[in-house]
Amino acid sequence: MRSSGLTLAALLAIAATATGEVEVEFREKIEPFLQDYCYDCHGDGAKKGDITLDDFKDLSSHLENHELWLRIWRNVRTHLMPPVEGDFQPSPEERAELMAWIESNVLKLDPENPDPGRVTIRRLNREEYRNTIWDLLGVEYNVDDNFPPDDTGFGFDTIGDVLTISPLLLEKYLLAAETIADLALPATVIRRRPITIDAGNFRERGNNQQSARFMEADKEHTVGAERRFSKAGVYNLEVSYRIENERGRPEGQTATWRILVDGKEIESVEVDGGRRSSGEFKTEIELSEGNHRFEFSMVPGAPGEGEGTWGVRVEDYKLVRQAGSEWALYPESYRRIFFKGLPPEEKPDRDAYLRDIVREFASKAFRRPVEDRIVDALTALALARNQEEGAKFVDGVKLAVTATLTSPRFLFRREAQAEPDNPGRVVPVDQFALASRLSYFLWSSTPDEELLRLASKGQLRAELRSQVDRMLADEKANRMVSNFVGQWLQSRDLGSLDIDVRHILGESNKRNAERIFDQEMRKDMGKETELFFQHILKENRPIIELLNARYSFLNESLAKFYGVSGVKGDTYRRVEFGEEQQARGGILTQGTFLIVTSQPTRTSPVKRGLFVLENILGTPAPPAPPDVPELEDPEKESVEGTMRERMVAHREKALCKSCHQRMDPIGLALENFNAIGQWRDEDAGQPIDSAGQLVTGEKFSNVMELKEILISSRKEDFYRCLTEKMLTYALGRGVEYYDAPTVDRIVERLLDQEGNMADLIYGVVESIPFQKRRGDGDRLQN
């Protein structure tokens, strides 16, 4: 280390002078602020909330109390302190001066050179593993059944510290690699395997009992199934069906049975129940890569006379992609690995091709160029397998693929660091690591050829924004929407939540209750939330539309559930809300949010309010004391009155008051929505009062006014909270206090500009924590 030229004595003198200046500044500027605005509750003998600001032995130790000053900094920044009911409030300039002093002299933050934080090597989580295998090989692997659920930290399953690997999980990875290699390189490949859809998988939306196993002729209904196709092309479609009678048939009854693909009719069959018969339909259809929906629709015709039921039973439904050559008959996964075609005849050429296959596949799987020694080892393994009796060329390749997929270089997102044990050494991550950070953030998957090509040329950083735009326009960006929104707004939990629909609706008949709200409705709600966020992301809309948009994405069944008229069909589309439904706009009034923040039998103002504090405003309430009583069960006869009245009684308890003052007004503003997200005007026979006041002082009379407050006076809090959530998801670690300069810079950009979603994404990927890393160990010290 090069000497600075200063003696130890001189360095100590400088440090002492700096410390003296800090203490003088504290006495002259900071302590008067605390005396004016804080000591009434936290000084001069007062100790509200168990916090005192003037009880310290010496100033030096007081300034080293990071935990205390962090609480001061956070509460002053979010305007939670001083309390709004106080007679005097600091000016914006006074708040800014206090926060800047804490950041500089206590937290010792350097806005120009912020600490990028520690990066824990990250294992691929289940979703990332699934997507990586698909994008790498074109093979679908069922991770849900074969791997245990991932742990979460800070609300996300992308956190490196919790993505551990156990001996059992390692064994599952070994079995998975063998299975995937077999699927990618099947023993029999010349015959094209058909894509079959069982008749039982064709289901009617909103009625899971109706399938293509028997479609009654006397009622209009449509059943459908979706499949994802890895390869565009012309497919042969073959459908075989049978007309069957059940309990007789009405004389002269007719119907039209339609076959549809992606909503377009490709065949219409006039059917009648005159006799049992069978039929077969064959045609060619052109399908693009991606998801497609296949449907059957029954349209009743003449009613006929007499009793009975007859209909159409689908017996077989399959699609086979056409191919123009023998090589084209090989599955996509095979051709991705054998990237130069079938192996040559001569052994030296075959061995050379094997080495090329190993290098190409391992480089893609490891997300960076693979070293020669690794290629040598994998090639030797494959060649040894090929020398066994009865072995084929593909067997050696399959073993090399299996070994590659079980390597830590594949299972973990490895980032090279020049001095891994030196936390003082901050360096930009290399371009290949940046490509992986970018792809797993926006695609939940491995970098594609374009990202790796730019990384190999050292050009990725220079073209970062154009690559972000390209990636967001790609269909794979929907994975980020699903994974981020699914965890930020907890929509992933929607399908498994225990919901007593009969109790909520007051419906004694279980089947009637489930017709109103079933698993399909849960899926519709989750889809609404994802499509809504996806629209704001891909259309680069203002972030505040997440809270106050006057539109959403509905299909007929969800619109009917919400009481929105004029929406027909199963297709989701953007629906503008009129005056009658204006409260519906934004994530806080979508079924997803309203259900995950309710109890199984009733609404929960506490859960709804706490959710907004934690995930929208970023100002979570402190943990409840251990002996706080639960809100009484509404089924008990002793409990009467509206939810607001019961919450007021609950809040009168001394242990509950301080936290509930923050949570309850927000939750009660949403009381017009019941526990499954339907609008209501009354609770317990009384009109619902949704008025309230935030702890920061803003008053509102209904949920629409609350949302206006959130996008105006509390807009900065929302921007900061969403920024921290997005950074947590992208970085794979929790946001720490030393990330404040990064968060502040992104929030300032959002406030200065239009606050569009792309600005947030750009801010995250261009930030110091995303672009750089330091070695492991304790955080940087100044």
Side-chain angles (χ1 to χ4, degrees):
M1 182 176 177
R2 189 174 64 180
S3 172
S4 64
L6 296 174
T7 65
L8 177 60
L11 290 171
L12 292 173
I14 293 172
T17 302
T19 301
E21 292 176 355
V22 170
E23 293 184 357
V24 169
E25 195 170 16
F26 174 83
R27 296 298 186 190
E28 293 181 353
K29 295 182 178 180
I30 305 307
E31 193 168 37
F33 178 100
L34 301 177
Q35 290 171 340
D36 288 343
Y37 302 112
C38 306
Y39 279 10
D40 285 349
C41 298
H42 306 291
D44 297 332
K47 198 177 182 180
K48 189 172 183 180
D50 238 9
I51 296 175
T52 179
L53 302 181
D54 61 353
D55 183 17
F56 52 89
K57 295 180 180 178
D58 60 85
L59 185 56
S60 178
S61 62
H62 186 43
L63 298 182
E64 291 175 359
N65 190 345
H66 273 220
E67 183 178 349
L68 174 65
W69 287 101
L70 269 173
R71 295 183 69 174
I72 298 171
W73 175 67
R74 288 182 177 132
N75 284 326
V76 171
R77 183 181 63 172
T78 55
H79 292 242
L80 292 175
M81 293 293 168
V84 68
E85 60 266 20
D87 294 332
F88 303 100
Q89 289 292 313
S91 66
E93 292 75 20
E94 288 177 309
R95 286 182 186 272
E97 185 177 45
L98 173 63
M99 288 187 292
W101 185 86
I102 294 174
E103 291 169 5
S104 175
N105 298 294
V106 180
L107 305 181
K108 299 188 180 347
L109 303 181
D110 182 356
E112 300 304 317
N113 298 286
D115 178 3
R118 179 178 60 86
V119 177
T120 298
I121 187 170
R122 289 166 61 181
R123 171 177 61 79
L124 301 183
N125 64 31
R126 290 199 308 185
E127 288 300 312
E128 291 168 344
Y129 188 96
R130 183 209 315 269
N131 294 330
T132 299
I133 292 298
W134 173 258
D135 292 341
L136 187 63
L137 291 166
V139 170
E140 290 197 57
Y141 185 71
N142 190 338
V143 296
D144 297 329
D145 290 346
N146 292 294
F147 296 151
D150 294 304
D151 290 330
T152 61
F154 305 99
F156 296 101
D157 61 7
T158 58
I159 307 302
D161 284 340
V162 303
L163 289 171
T164 57
I165 187 166
S166 65
L168 177 61
L169 182 56
L170 181 58
E171 183 177 340
K172 289 182 178 294
Y173 280 135
L174 294 172
L175 293 173
E178 293 175 352
T179 301
I180 292 165
D182 286 337
L183 291 171
L185 299 169
T188 304
V189 296
I190 298 299
R191 183 175 176 81
R192 175 72 64 184
R193 290 185 297 178
I195 298 170
T196 60
I197 307 177
D198 186 87
N201 290 334
F202 290 86
R203 298 282 177 169
E204 183 180 19
R205 292 187 188 274
N207 179 15
N208 204 42
Q209 303 301 314
Q210 180 70 64
S211 75
R213 287 178 176 154
F214 188 75
M215 299 183 66
E216 299 91 333
D218 59 351
K219 68 176 183 179
E220 184 172 356
H221 59 288
T222 300
V223 296
E226 290 190 4
R227 289 293 183 273
R228 182 169 67 171
F229 287 73
S230 61
K231 188 72 174 178
V234 177
Y235 287 76
N236 293 327
L237 170 63
E238 298 180 11
V239 181
S240 59
Y241 59 93
R242 180 179 297 277
I243 298 174
E244 292 189 351
N245 296 340
E246 288 189 4
R247 300 185 303 278
R249 60 179 175 80
E251 186 70 29
Q253 187 182 45
T254 63
T256 302
W257 186 61
R258 304 165 65 219
I259 303 173
L260 306 97
V261 176
D262 293 329
K264 180 181 178 181
E265 180 183 298
I266 59 173
E267 181 67 7
S268 179
V269 182
E270 300 300 323
V271 293
D272 64 65
R275 58 185 175 84
R276 289 177 179 269
S277 62
S278 60
E280 190 174 58
F281 170 71
K282 296 182 179 181
T283 190
E284 295 181 355
I285 57 174
E286 188 169 349
L287 298 175
S288 61
E289 180 182 348
N291 291 328
H292 293 278
R293 184 167 180 81
F294 306 94
E295 294 175 312
F296 299 109
S297 180
M298 183 67 76
V299 181
E305 297 181 0
E307 299 295 329
T309 303
W310 64 273
V312 176
R313 173 190 293 276
V314 175
E315 294 189 318
D316 195 22
Y317 192 103
K318 63 182 179 182
L319 298 116
V320 181
R321 185 165 62 84
Q322 298 178 1
S325 67
E326 179 181 325
W327 180 235
L329 288 172
Y330 282 75
E332 173 68 17
S333 57
Y334 210 107
R335 289 183 285 117
R336 288 189 189 184
I337 297 171
F338 284 72
F339 67 102
K340 293 181 180 179
L342 294 172
E345 295 294 330
E346 299 298 324
K347 186 179 185 307
D349 296 334
R350 290 166 69 88
D351 291 350
Y353 185 31
L354 178 59
R355 184 180 180 83
D356 290 342
I357 288 174
V358 167
R359 182 181 295 278
E360 180 78 5
F361 181 74
S363 294
K364 289 181 178 179
F366 296 164
R367 302 173 282 276
R368 62 176 59 243
V370 65
E371 302 97 315
D372 287 341
R373 63 181 181 84
I374 302 297
V375 176
D376 293 340
L378 290 171
T379 304
L381 189 68
L383 288 172
R385 176 69 179 91
N386 287 348
Q387 291 173 3
E388 296 177 6
E389 184 177 353
K392 300 177 182 178
F393 181 84
V394 68
D395 295 327
V397 176
K398 189 181 295 186
L399 185 58
V401 168
T402 302
T404 300
L405 295 182
T406 55
S407 169
R409 293 170 180 249
F410 171 74
L411 296 173
F412 290 86
R413 289 166 52 185
R414 175 173 167 264
E415 295 180 352
Q417 162 65 301
E419 297 179 34
D421 297 323
N422 178 9
R425 177 75 182 276
V426 174
V427 296
V429 297
D430 68 49
Q431 299 249 343
F432 290 104
L434 181 60
S436 285
R437 287 190 175 193
L438 195 59
S439 65
Y440 281 100
F441 171 36
L442 299 180
W443 285 349
S444 299
S445 186
T446 190
D448 66 356
E449 290 185 7
E450 174 76 359
L451 290 174
L452 293 177
R453 181 184 64 81
L454 290 172
S456 66
K457 293 183 176 181
Q459 297 174 352
L460 181 55
R461 274 194 173 83
E463 299 189 26
L464 196 57
R465 286 207 175 190
S466 64
Q467 286 302 303
V468 169
D469 293 339
R470 177 183 72 87
M471 295 174 73
L472 290 179
D474 193 286
E475 188 179 80
K476 288 188 285 189
N478 296 341
R479 299 167 180 170
M480 187 271 275
V481 173
S482 176
N483 293 331
F484 175 74
V485 173
Q487 296 177 88
W488 173 45
L489 299 180
Q490 299 176 15
S491 60
R492 274 189 183 181
D493 303 333
L494 196 58
S496 60
L497 289 176
D498 180 23
I499 303 173
D500 188 344
V501 183
R502 293 170 64 187
H503 187 104
I504 294 168
L505 296 177
E507 174 61 64
S508 59
N509 188 298
K510 182 178 180 181
R511 293 188 65 185
N512 288 342
E514 290 179 348
R515 286 193 185 99
I516 297 172
F517 183 85
D518 58 8
Q519 284 295 330
E520 288 299 316
M521 187 60 66
R522 299 189 196 209
K523 292 178 183 177
D524 287 339
M525 289 177 173
K527 191 71 172 178
E528 173 196 16
T529 301
E530 288 185 11
L531 289 174
F532 179 66
F533 189 93
Q534 178 182 314
H535 172 76
I536 291 176
L537 174 67
K538 295 201 170 186
E539 298 299 321
N540 194 23
R541 300 295 304 164
I543 292 172
I544 60 171
E545 284 190 12
L546 288 169
L547 300 179
N548 76 331
R550 295 293 180 91
Y551 64 86
S552 192
F553 290 80
L554 313 176
N555 61 6
E556 182 176 358
S557 59
L558 186 56
K560 182 179 179 181
F561 182 84
Y562 283 163
V564 179
S565 60
V567 181
K568 299 294 181 183
D570 294 332
T571 304
Y572 300 92
R573 82 292 308 265
R574 174 169 167 160
V575 176
E576 301 289 337
F577 294 133
E579 288 299 317
E580 293 183 359
Q581 292 91 27
Q582 60 178 326
R584 275 285 170 200
I587 55 178
L588 298 185
T589 48
Q590 291 178 358
T592 298
F593 167 83
L594 296 166
I595 290 174
V596 300
T597 56
S598 291
Q599 300 288 12
T601 60
R602 61 169 173 82
T603 60
S604 174
V606 172
K607 290 178 69 175
R608 289 177 175 179
L610 183 61
F611 189 99
V612 172
L613 291 177
E614 290 182 341
N615 295 288
I616 304 300
L617 297 175
T619 56
D627 298 325
V628 170
E630 292 287 337
L631 183 63
E632 286 80 355
D633 188 339
E635 290 190 359
K636 293 182 179 179
E637 294 182 0
S638 60
V639 178
E640 296 180 354
T642 66
M643 179 61 74
R644 176 178 287 274
E645 291 167 343
R646 287 155 51 209
M647 292 305 302
V648 168
H650 188 73
R651 194 162 57 240
E652 287 177 352
K653 299 178 174 67
L655 284 172
C656 309
K657 184 175 182 180
S658 62
C659 292
H660 281 272
Q661 282 181 327
R662 298 169 63 178
M663 298 181 292
D664 292 0
I666 298 172
L668 290 170
L670 296 159
E671 268 298 288
N672 281 113
F673 297 96
N674 69 10
I676 56 173
Q678 289 184 312
W679 181 268
R680 59 181 182 169
D681 293 309
E682 295 183 348
D683 177 25
Q686 298 295 319
I688 290 175
D689 178 9
S690 57
Q693 180 178 358
L694 298 185
V695 71
T696 46
E698 300 93 337
K699 295 181 179 180
F700 53 87
S701 59
N702 52 46
V703 67
M704 287 82 78
E705 292 183 8
L706 171 62
K707 287 189 286 189
E708 287 302 312
I709 292 171
L710 296 179
I711 66 166
S712 55
S713 62
R714 301 265 66 84
K715 178 167 67 174
E716 184 174 342
D717 291 337
F718 176 51
Y719 282 168
R720 178 172 286 107
C721 181
L722 185 56
T723 298
E724 291 182 349
K725 296 293 181 183
M726 194 74 80
L727 274 169
T728 298
Y729 177 83
L731 299 176
R733 64 169 176 82
V735 172
E736 303 289 348
Y737 68 89
Y738 50 76
D739 294 308
T742 293
V743 175
D744 289 344
R745 188 172 289 113
I746 295 173
V747 171
E748 287 171 10
R749 176 188 293 175
L750 294 175
L751 291 170
D752 291 343
Q753 302 177 17
E754 295 181 1
N756 290 349
M757 185 61 78
D759 295 318
L760 173 57
I761 301 296
Y762 293 151
V764 169
V765 301
E766 293 170 353
S767 69
I768 294 297
F770 195 89
Q771 292 278 328
K772 296 184 177 182
R773 62 161 293 149
R774 61 172 166 88
D776 294 329
D778 296 332
R779 71 170 298 274
L780 298 179
Q781 300 293 327
N782 292 318

